[in-house]
Structure formats: structure tokens, C-alpha cells
Amino acid sequence: MLLVVLVVALVLTTLSTPLLDRLLGRAAGWPIMAVFVALTVAVAIQGRHVLVGGGTLEFSQPWMPEIGVNLDLRMDGLGWLFCMLVLAVGALIIAYSTRYFPPGRRGGFYFLMTAFATAMTGLVLADDLVLLFVFWELTTICSFYLIGLSGPSANRPAVRTFLVTALGGLALLTAVVLLIVRTGTSSLSAILADTSWMQDTGFATVVALLVMLAVFTKSAQFPFHYWLPDAMAASTPVSAYLHAATMVKAGVYVAMRFSAAFGDFAVWNLGLISIGLLTALIGAVFALQRHDLKELAAYSTVSQLGFLIMVIGIGTPAALIAAAVHTVAHALFKSALFMTVGIIDRQAGTRDIRRLSGLRSAMPVTAIVASLAALSMAGIPPFLGFVSKETLFDALLAAPGPAWVVPAVGVGAVIAAAFTFAYAFRFVVGVFGGPPNEASPREAGVWFLAAPAVAVVGGLLLGLGAQWLNPLVDRVAVDAAPGSGHADLSLWHGFNAALLMSAAAIGLGALLTWRSASGEALAGRRFFPVSGTAVFEVLYRGVIALGVRVGDLTRSDSPGRHMAVPIVLIGALTAVVATANLDFGSFTAPTSRTLDWILVVLVVAAVLSATITRSRLAGLVLVGVAGFTVALWFLFLGAFDVALTQLLVEILTVVVAVLVLRRLPRRFHRATRRRTVLTAGIAIVAGLSAGLAAYLMTGRRELSQAAEYFLSHVEDDTGGTNVVNTILVDYRAMDTMGELTVLGVAGLVIISVLKSSGLISGGGERQPKVPPSSAVWNADENTVIVRTVARWLMPLLVLWSLYLLLRGHYEPGGGFIAGLVGGAGFALVYLTAASESAARIRLSSPGLIATGIVVAAGSGLLGYFDGSFLRPLHADIWMPWGDFHFTTALIFDVGVYLAVIGVLLTALNHLGLRQPQTMGVRPRPPRGRSSSRRGRAATGRSSKGRATGGSR
């Protein structure tokens, strides 16, 4: 139950942030922090059951049961650790944000931060690979928006961060698909428990490499390390949360989670150890070179993440224990360090070390907090950072591989730790040491300092009482390592190799600091000819240029050039398949009737005539004849649903197409004989391909197994008897939902395109000239009979559409056909109107489209009562005339009905009508000289606006 409460509470908190922001402004962080604290306490209470009792909290709810994907949540020791970090550190940073930002509304920030926490919590609790991937991508999206929230200067860093981490997301998706296909399950715990798929070395290597790529991009490992300092364009609270408990820790979590499978796999060990060590070294060097405190802290995160990935790569229980301890230590000192940077920036007005000096007297509390955080990061006792670094060194001494690996990795780790001491020293001395500047800032308020102070005190207490973490890291080792280990965390283990390595790192760091004058000798120097962001931009421009070059091969306004490639390929593929599979001896039995050939002749005649005529209107009529003939063919074959749909589509297509033809010349342009022959050949190839494909794919008039299943089980499964409709709204409702959404988007696109092009008001439209002596001059008199018929026919069409809607589950009908019938009624109203102003149908077509999609999606949510989205619910309802079998598929059909009518009204109202200013009507200028001037000025402005709009 706790797992559901966690996720639901975070989602509700996220949704409530706009209201809290409106009521409280930046103080909205306090109630949000209270929720985080309450959830932290709830998770901590469960710690005894999970850590000491060895239990596991689980929750499962069907999500996509047909493919075996569930909403599976699971909290073991590893999940408990990261969940506590996300919530506890999140509470501190949210509280810190209430004083970091100036007074005012911060709804976007609080919304995205709580969404970030929700995504990260879901990620560490997900026990289904698909669910894990969804939350993984949500963290990427949240970080993108949080970085971009800082303004235009953050746009490119946000894009670079998004693209790099999205690359890792694609790698993780590929690994997820491969694992699900190979194992037959998406359950993460089941896949990690049964590693029989690891017996296939090639397959396991591919999956390991894909997971490693995802981890490297998310946790900013070389060569993807540059995105993390680049993301410092975000505000300091965002950076603190991103570095300490979310985003980068997502990669650490996934690496630790998959260690259960890859812990003793050579590719995994070699890749993580080598890349992690390299990242730790270059991150430390780059951190020592920075003048900007925030950049220094960012590169220090890169270095510390390198340590974490390196030790995870060792894969032993001791290594996973070290990773768990260092994860906690890093979360505490890094969150405190970033929050301290924000305080310095706010109080002193700069983050540049060269402009900061002697702040210890002006900001003594800040100096103490920053010093404690830096000491923990440098690995100085008695802080948790010292304990974690000792356990890390101890784990390195058991690294797998040849004999030279241990000394090589150990030396590299000591050098990286020495640089860590150096840049930590530079951070403190450069800001708080030396003589004070002339402009002395004020100390921050108590509530501004409270959050980082809590974090550093936590690091100090856990360092002094390191044994308190033994149950946690023991359980993490059991969950994340192939075997099990016994943790013996303590501030003092006597004189051993790990202590010697730690002392060497401190000594070398002190020497480096002394020789380089606190790092200033290295600061600002370039050791590499290029930067990561520069390489990214070059690759980015290259990919875009390549895409343009590839697009140039088919870039044309001619539909013929666009269609040539797919038609030729389809024709060639059809010829190959037909030659391989077509058995002409199977045509012995009669497969057609005389009536079929009559219809074939009608279709051929209509198509040939359409290719010959030069009149657009005649071409439209002939294409309609071909469509009506096909509808008759469906009817004679017994497919009444399909025939009715085809008939209605043809009718409405003609109506809408005529409205489009008003904006086009009356006749087609003259085509050359060569073009005519070519298009005729393409048409013949396309027709033969479609015919052969239909013949080969329909079992040659024999029912397929799927068709037999539907005919035999449709009533038992759905309660309906109309096979076509039940397939659309019961069996394949998700497909229909997608098509419905596309239909709605198409309706909105019609409006957008016409408005942006100026055609919605008839601009540039050639209007027919009708002389007053013509018989069609007086539209009001000429439409009397049609309007009289329509007055009675329109209600009948509406009633018929509702009848088809209600009976669709059992007899021919359904939401799409009913919507077409209702749309035909509105088309009749339009066609029988005496004038364009009277023809406008006073209904909001975008509103109908949106309502239809919302109704359909809402009916799908009801399916969760039976375990799955869009699963229809059934109930027998008593009626005076008998029992009525109700199904939520009917509500889904109502959504289809409304959306179809909305799209048709969109076409009628926006293609068929013109605005008054395009009909030769000009506003009468107001009386009086001053009014006339204003009228002329307004008219000039209006004309200018129209000219500008037309030029667009």
C-alpha cells in the first residue's frame, strides 16, 4: 500500500502546484516540502521491515495485460535507499527554494521539480522494464524543461542535455525490447533472478553494452560528461537536485540494479571500471581549473560519478557496499555544496572565485557549512565522505582481471582523490580565505542556510555513526550483487591499505594545492584542443546537413516525385512475392459472377474517363462514380457496414472536394503524352499490386484463423454480434483510439493551415461571375424545394445516425458510420442554405473534436476497473421492453461519433464560407471630421494588417 501512496501522493502534489503557487507564490514550497517530509518518514518507518527484516514491498496492477506489461512496483533495499535520497534531499532543496527565489510566482518550477521527484521515485520502484523505461524518459523530459526554465540562454544547453540523454534512452529501450523478447516477460526482478539468457554470450554482450551506454549518458561519463556542466544554465536548486538525488543518480541506480546480472561479466567490468576511472580523473582536473563555483561543483560531480561507476563495475558485494555508502555521502555533501554556491551567488552577486575573497568574516555561518561540505567531499575524517572513500579504496583492491589491474586502478583512484582534495581546498580558501573585498556581503537568513546545514550535519553524524548504515548496505549488497556481503562500516579500521591510500590522496592533494597556489596555476588553461559542447555542435550540424542532403533526393512539390519511389518499390516487391507464392492452378474453381464483371467495367470506365478529362469537376464526379461502384460491390458481397461507410465517405468527399475546387482553376493543366503514359503505367502497376496483395493475403476466399475466431467468440467476448464494430471498439480499441486522435488532429490542421495561408477568409479566391439575368441569380428562390425537403430530412438523418450509433454493437452501424450520417445531415443544411451567411453551422467544431477524443479516452480509463485501459465493461440493464446489454464500448463510439461530426463541420465551416470583408462589404466610416480621420486611420491600419497577413 505504501508504494501506491508514494506515487499517488507525488502525482497529486504535482497537480496541486499551480493552485499552491497562485495562493502562496514562492512560499508554495513549504506545503510541498511538508509532503516530501511526510513521505520520507513513511518510507523510513518501512526501513525496519525492508532492511532488518529482509522483506520486500510489492504492488502489481495490470496495465497492458495482452502483452504482459503491468504496473509493478517493488521496494527492496536498493529501491529504499534511492527513494529516501529522492524524498529527503528533495525536501531540503524545496525548502531552500522558498528563499533562493525572489518573491513571486514559481508555479512552473515547483510543478517540474515535483514531477521530477515523481519520475525518479517511479524509476527506482519500477519492477517492470517498460515502466522503468517510461520513468527513465520522464526524468529526461523534466530535466529538459527545468534547464530551459532559466531563460533563452539556457535553450541550447537544455537541447544538448536532452539529445545526449535521449540517446541513452534509445539504447535502454533497445535493451528492454531485447530482454522482453528473449525472456518472454517484462518483469525486472524475474529477468534478473533467472539469468539463463546470459548463457548466450553474444546476446548478453549486446544487452550489457546497451545498458552501459544508457548509464554513461545519464550519469555524465566520458565522452558524454560535458552535458552536466553545460546544464548549469539551470537555476541552482535545479542543479542541486539534479546532481545530488535525481537524473545522474538514475544512471547509478540502473548500473547497480543490473549488477545482479552483469556483476561478473567481463565486458561490464572492463567498460565500467575503465570509463569510470577516466571520468573521475578528467572531471577532477577540469574542476580544479574552474573559476566559476557552480562549474567547479559540476565537474566535481562528474568526477564523483566516475568513482561510483568505477566501483560498481568491480561487481563484488564489497564494491556494491562502497557504491551505496558513497551514493549517500555524495548526495549529502553535493546538495549542501550546491546550495552554498547559491547562497554565495545571491548574497555576493557573483560566483567567480577571482572576485570573491575573505567572506569568512562577513558570512561566517556560510563559511562553516561550505567548509564542512568540502571536507566531506575531500574525504577528511570524521565525515561520511571519508568512510565512503575508504570503502571505495578497499573495494578497488579486489578488482577483477589481470594482476596489473589492481595497482593501475588504485593509482588512478588515488590521483583522482588527490585532485578532489585540491579543488575542495580551492573552493573553501578561494572564497572564504584571504583579505576581504571592499564590498562585504551580508550573511544569509536562517531559513536560507537551514537546508544545507541539515545536509552537512547529516554527513557528519553518519560519519561518526557509520555503523548505523550497516543494515542498509548489507541489504543493498544482497539486492545488487551476485553474492552477499557483510558490511563493517566504521570511522576507524586500523592501519590498512585503504587508510594508506586515503592518506596518500590527502598528501598528494595538499602538495598539488601548495605547488599550484590553490589551483590558480591550472585554472583557465586548456589541456584539450576541443570541448565536449563544440564536438556536439559539429556533430549536430553534420547530422542536420546529412538529413538535408538525403531529403534533397526526394524534395519536390510534385506529388509524382514523392509517390514514384514507394510505388516502384511496392510494385517490385509485389512481383517478387507473387512469383514466389502465386499458384495459377488454384484458379480452377469459379471465383466471380457476371455482376462482378459489370462492376469491373464500370470502375474501369470511370477511371479511364477521369484520366482523360481536363475538367476538375468532371474528374471529381468520375472518381465518385468509381467509389460508388466499389460501395455497390461491397454491398453485393454482403459487407453492409463497409458498403455504407464507403457510400457515405464518397458523398461527403464530393461535398468537401467541391468546396476545395472553388479555390482552384476549372480545368487541369495540359499534360504531355509522355506524362500521360507514365501515370497510366503507374496506375496499372499500383492496381495490379493491390489486387495481387489482396488475393495473396486473404487466404483465397478461405477464412483465416483470426476471422474464424471472431465469428465464433465475438458474442462471448464482447456481448455484441457485429463483428466489424466489435473489432473496432473492443478487440482493437487502441488502434481506433489512435485513428480517432489522428482524425481530430487533421481537423485542427485544416483550421490552422487555412488561417495561416489566408484562405480561411477567401483571400485570393476567384469568385464566379453570375449575371443578374441568370436563372441561378436568386439563390433564395432557387433553393425553396431543397430547403423544404431538408427541413424534414435533417431531423430524420440525425435520428438515423443516433439509431446507427446505438445498434452498432449488434447490427450494422457504429460511431464512425453514425458520424458520417450525422455529418451528411449537416452537409445537407449547408448545401440548401440560401446564402453563405445563413449556411454557417453554429457549433464549435474544435470543441466537438476535443470532446469526442476526451470521451473516448475517458471510456478507456473506465477499463482500469477491469484491469486494463480501453477494456470494455459490460452490464445488463433492465428496461421496460426487456434487458439491455450496456457496454462502455458504446461510450467509446460516442466519442468517435462526436469527433467525426466535428471534422466534417470543420471542413464545411472553414472551406465553404467566406468572411464578410471578402464579399465586397466595407464598413461604413463614422460621421464627422474627427471620426472620419479615425476611420481612415483605422482603415489604413487594418489594410496594412491584412497586407502583412497576406504576405505571411
Side-chain angles (χ1 to χ4, degrees), residues 821-835:
V821 173
F826 287 112
L828 182 62
V829 171
Y830 170 81
L831 293 174
T832 58
S835 64

Side-chain angles (χ1 to χ4, degrees), residues 71-89:
L71 294 173
D72 286 342
L73 302 177
R74 185 173 183 267
M75 180 186 285
D76 56 6
L78 187 60
W80 188 90
L81 166 62
F82 280 89
C83 195
M84 283 291 291
L85 292 180
V86 172
L87 296 173
V89 175

Side-chain angles (χ1 to χ4, degrees), residues 727-803:
I727 290 175
L728 294 176
V729 300
D730 288 89
Y731 291 108
R732 302 185 64 181
M734 183 63 77
D735 288 353
T736 307
M737 184 69 196
E739 294 164 1
L740 176 64
T741 305
V742 172
L743 183 68
V745 171
L748 299 179
V749 166
I750 291 175
I751 300 174
S752 301
V753 170
L754 292 177
K755 282 185 177 180
S756 62
S757 63
L759 294 177
I760 198 168
S761 61
E765 178 182 343
R766 181 182 57 80
Q767 299 299 323
K769 297 180 179 180
V770 182
S773 59
S774 173
V776 298
W777 173 261
N778 193 330
D780 187 59
E781 294 181 0
N782 288 324
T783 58
V784 170
I785 297 176
V786 182
R787 280 188 285 119
T788 302
V789 173
R791 183 177 303 172
W792 295 97
L793 188 58
M794 173 60 183
L796 294 177
L797 286 174
V798 172
L799 289 176
W800 187 33
S801 70
L802 295 176
Y803 173 70

